[in-house]
Amino acid sequence: MDMAVTRVAVRMKIQMQLKKQPMKGFQSTYMELRWIRRRSTKTSQIDRKLLTPAMRPPFPIYFSTDPKHADLDRLQQLYADCNHSCYRFPNYVGSHGRVESVDIHKLRVALSHSAVLVSVFCKPHHIVDDDGEGHFTSSADSSKTIMGVTDFLQSVTPVSPYDGHLVGFGRAISDCGLTASIYDVMVIPSLRRLGIGRMIVKKIVRMLTNRDIYDIAALCTENERLFLKACGFGGDILGSTTMMYTRSTSSMIREGESDVRRIGQKLLLVPPLKGPFKSSRTIM
Amino acid sequence: MLTLNAARHTSLLVVPFDGSYPVSGQFLVPANLNCWFTRARRKFRTFQLKTGFWESIKTGYYREFTTSGRKRLLKNSTTQVIDSPSIDEDDDSLPQEFVLVENTELDGTIEQIIFSSGGDIDVYDLQALCDKVGWPRRPLSKLAAALKNSYMVASLHSIRKSPGSGSEENEKKKLIGMARATSDHAFNATIWDVLVDPSYQGQGLGKALVEKLIRALLQRDIGNITLFADSQVVEFYRNLGFEPDPEGIKGMFWYPKY
């Protein structure tokens, strides 16, 4: 009994020490304005005589790590725009490979338990609707035509999370001590390849390393591997293999006893409850 | 049934709910506050002595609290709460603590291996166990923080009772296994740190630990369960239903560049 009391006292001491340490890091919010210069695309090179670099000024985007800025409806829309699913093996609807929309209630739970959230906002008129035919709207046109009063006002008021359009997002889950995993990094298609995604990942990593968490993992498909490499990620130095639970059927199941869960496309088998067993080995 | 950790988080979600709040533009407890609330709750729990009597009282209290909280929610709010499906599962639930293996030795000593999902692990015991397995040492405060903020911590303790004497007197309780998982409580989970005392390996204890974790996660519809396996345990996890690099999905780790 004495030992138990001492142990409890020691644990309390460690916990009180934890309180003094700046674990508040996850509580501090961060907002930053960055300027993005639009990279010249193939189509703009054709129009180069019309569009000198001076006429394509950098535009501001706003990074925020405040969870209050991650509005759920806009976020759901962003997931849909980026065709991103929270499930690794999602259900596809329609014929264009679009994934089903993310469940907003589950999303709320997920966000409230994510240690780091990064949202990226941008003024709506900077989002170029590049439909591949070289038709530039908004920012290019606005510099050529006479701007109306509302356009002018829109272009001078600073971008903020409340009137900006949500264009990028990223989040990380952590145990606030040893490890962390990054999920759901996305940027809308029209603003990709400008370095925004990289800034999101760097921001997340920075927030985690500021709290002394250096074991940061991120899952990626083949297409995203180069992106993560550019952000400073690589294969595990210890040579560990990434594994995911994918068991869907078992030859040992009898009818009526199996319990499965639908997770996106997969039907995962829930391991059955086993009662106490006698060990097959004598314990040393 | 929810594990103690999950119950704790559910009860946190109950607290800030308002019956009629607009869905858009509002946000619930942010992650930072969540960590903070968890810490406050943990402090309460450490005051309780670790005996069977207290454990049963605790379990009863949490179950009562969370089910009543959920029922209140369903009545008031227009939006459906996340964990309503698990109300039905109370009878098929995972108890907080139960005896996994029971052995009687030649001299009459009874050894029981108790599985617990409560997460009540002494960090010193854990560090000793990590040393036995051969893992590198990690700072104790980080270990404690990680255990506290994990979604679920499953542990195995061995209790040896000498024959003849009173039930509480000659009991030796030893930590012999642990597994933990972090999660966002909705979609993704990662299993870290699965370890079993070398002298107890080979009996199916590690398998039981991981299976219980998977079961608890899938009961909450958390489907993306990942882990990073060393080369010598890849087969072990394959037998449990894990697939390496499914459909080209790989995990990458961050490297600091100086």
Side-chain angles (χ1 to χ4, degrees):
Chain A
M1 278 303 272
D2 249 357
M3 281 293 281
V5 173
T6 331
R7 289 266 173 88
V8 168
V10 168
R11 268 183 63 196
M12 277 169 57
K13 196 169 143 216
I14 291 182
Q15 277 157 6
M16 298 215 292
Q17 278 172 3
L18 277 171
K19 264 204 260 276
K20 286 185 211 147
Q21 276 176 19
M23 284 280 277
K24 299 191 282 290
F26 289 108
Q27 291 177 18
S28 73
T29 57
Y30 175 94
M31 282 164 262
E32 182 188 27
L33 204 68
R34 293 279 190 101
W35 293 84
I36 302 278
R37 183 171 293 278
R38 195 178 299 280
R39 209 174 288 177
S40 59
T41 60
K42 238 178 11 178
T43 47
S44 78
Q45 277 167 9
I46 297 163
D47 296 328
R48 211 184 311 187
K49 50 187 190 304
L50 298 170
L51 295 166
T52 59
M55 296 184 87
R56 295 193 294 120
F59 62 95
I61 60 171
Y62 191 92
F63 280 79
S64 166
T65 56
D66 191 343
K68 289 194 273 293
H69 291 158
D71 175 56
L72 281 167
D73 289 316
R74 299 205 291 188
L75 200 51
Q76 192 185 36
Q77 182 60 42
L78 180 68
Y79 271 77
D81 290 340
C82 302
N83 203 24
H84 183 95
S85 169
C86 286
Y87 297 122
R88 275 291 147 192
F89 309 106
N91 281 318
Y92 292 102
V93 293
S95 54
H96 301 286
R98 296 213 60 86
V99 297
E100 59 183 353
S101 165
V102 62
D103 184 339
I104 207 165
H105 302 295
K106 291 192 94 167
L107 188 58
R108 180 187 303 135
V109 177
L111 294 186
S112 66
H113 288 106
S114 299
V116 178
L117 289 179
V118 175
S119 324
V120 184
F121 300 91
C122 174
K123 283 273 180 185
H125 60 276
H126 288 137
I127 300 167
V128 167
D129 205 6
D130 194 0
D131 54 8
E133 290 170 349
H135 293 289
F136 275 80
T137 60
S138 61
S139 65
D141 290 347
S142 62
S143 58
K144 289 170 70 177
T145 61
I146 299 165
M147 284 193 276
V149 176
T150 41
D151 288 337
F152 176 72
L153 277 176
Q154 238 191 8
S155 61
V156 296
T157 49
V159 62
S160 79
Y162 305 106
D163 58 353
H165 193 80
L166 181 68
V167 299
F169 183 73
R171 65 186 178 97
I173 295 162
S174 168
D175 57 15
C176 306
L178 292 170
T179 60
S181 313
I182 298 182
Y183 293 103
D184 296 347
V185 176
M186 65 185 97
V187 177
I188 56 173
S190 52
L191 286 180
R192 289 188 187 159
R193 300 198 65 89
L194 292 175
I196 297 177
R198 193 157 159 217
M199 283 194 232
I200 293 175
V201 174
K202 278 193 160 174
K203 182 94 226 101
I204 296 175
V205 167
R206 198 59 190 274
M207 285 193 76
L208 291 168
T209 52
N210 283 348
R211 311 305 147 211
D212 264 347
I213 296 174
Y214 294 98
D215 204 354
I216 306 171
L219 287 185
C220 64
T221 58
E222 288 284 348
N223 307 332
E224 296 152 15
R225 205 162 301 177
L226 281 175
F227 165 66
L228 279 180
K229 261 192 103 164
C231 295
F233 282 70
D236 189 21
I237 34 172
L238 298 172
S240 59
T241 321
T242 310
M243 302 181 88
M244 282 194 69
Y245 187 72
T246 51
R247 175 168 283 170
S248 22
T249 52
S250 163
S251 51
M252 297 180 291
I253 323 174
R254 289 186 286 269
E255 254 326 304
E257 275 189 21
S258 62
D259 187 8
V260 288
R261 292 283 155 150
R262 173 158 288 287
I263 308 285
Q265 215 177 59
K266 300 229 174 211
L267 264 176
L268 293 181
L269 181 73
V270 181
L273 256 184
K274 289 187 199 141
F277 54 90
K278 277 241 173 276
S279 90
S280 50
R281 249 178 54 148
T282 49
I283 302 168
M284 286 160 39
Chain B
M1 154 106 153
L2 309 161
T3 64
L4 197 60
N5 280 1
R8 201 164 40 235
H9 289 290
T10 314
S11 57
L12 289 174
L13 283 171
V14 166
V15 168
F17 251 83
D18 204 1
S20 55
Y21 76 104
V23 174
S24 66
Q26 285 253 354
F27 205 73
L28 293 180
V29 188
N32 41 43
L33 270 178
N34 200 23
C35 275
W36 190 64
F37 279 163
T38 327
R39 220 179 306 153
R41 269 210 175 255
R42 259 289 178 165
K43 194 170 174 204
F44 165 69
R45 286 196 57 229
T46 53
F47 281 100
Q48 298 179 349
L49 301 169
K50 296 189 194 74
T51 58
F53 175 66
W54 283 108
E55 283 294 326
S56 60
I57 295 271
K58 249 192 297 181
T59 323
Y61 168 73
Y62 274 111
R63 203 186 305 185
E64 177 62 46
F65 184 69
T66 49
T67 40
S68 61
R70 256 184 264 127
K71 283 192 202 127
R72 178 163 42 97
L73 265 169
L74 287 173
K75 263 191 284 177
N76 293 345
S77 74
T78 49
T79 56
Q80 215 16 284
V81 185
I82 319 92
D83 43 29
S84 39
S86 41
I87 295 178
D88 316 319
E89 293 164 13
D90 273 340
D91 39 27
D92 180 35
S93 53
L94 197 65
Q96 280 302 326
E97 247 186 37
F98 61 92
V99 178
L100 193 68
V101 177
E102 182 150 343
N103 259 324
T104 309
E105 288 171 22
L106 297 167
D107 61 351
T109 320
I110 302 174
E111 176 165 25
Q112 285 181 330
I113 298 185
I114 312 275
F115 170 89
S116 159
S117 53
D120 261 339
I121 296 186
D122 188 346
V123 282
Y124 289 103
D125 282 345
L126 182 58
Q127 180 136 100
L129 188 62
C130 290
D131 289 343
K132 265 195 232 172
V133 183
W135 282 7
R137 282 213 160 184
R138 296 169 288 190
L140 280 174
S141 53
K142 279 197 175 186
L143 260 182
L147 287 177
K148 202 162 40 172
N149 293 310
S150 297
Y151 174 75
M152 179 171 166
V153 180
S155 55
L156 290 173
H157 287 93
S158 139
I159 297 190
R160 298 177 79 93
K161 293 185 198 155
S162 334
S165 52
S167 59
E168 301 284 314
E169 283 172 18
N170 285 0
E171 247 187 42
K172 284 202 300 184
K173 190 172 178 183
K174 199 170 61 153
L175 177 71
I176 60 166
M178 189 204 71
R180 69 182 180 96
T182 54
S183 167
D184 61 3
H185 300 230
F187 298 112
N188 305 294
T190 314
I191 298 181
W192 306 95
D193 292 352
V194 178
L195 68 163
V196 175
D197 190 316
S199 48
Y200 287 85
Q201 284 176 7
Q203 291 175 47
L205 293 176
K207 189 169 169 194
L209 275 175
V210 176
E211 275 189 348
K212 295 288 180 290
L213 271 184
I214 297 174
R215 192 188 164 78
L217 289 167
L218 283 175
Q219 301 277 30
R220 293 288 296 267
D221 279 333
I222 300 172
N224 289 346
I225 306 175
T226 8
L227 50 86
F228 303 103
D230 289 337
S231 43
Q232 63 264 35
V233 286
V234 171
E235 269 314 303
F236 167 71
Y237 288 112
R238 217 192 284 256
N239 287 336
L240 282 165
F242 285 86
E243 200 183 309
D245 300 337
E247 296 185 19
I249 293 174
K250 263 184 111 63
M252 298 177 78
F253 288 82
W254 182 70
Y255 289 108
K257 291 193 175 66
Y258 298 107

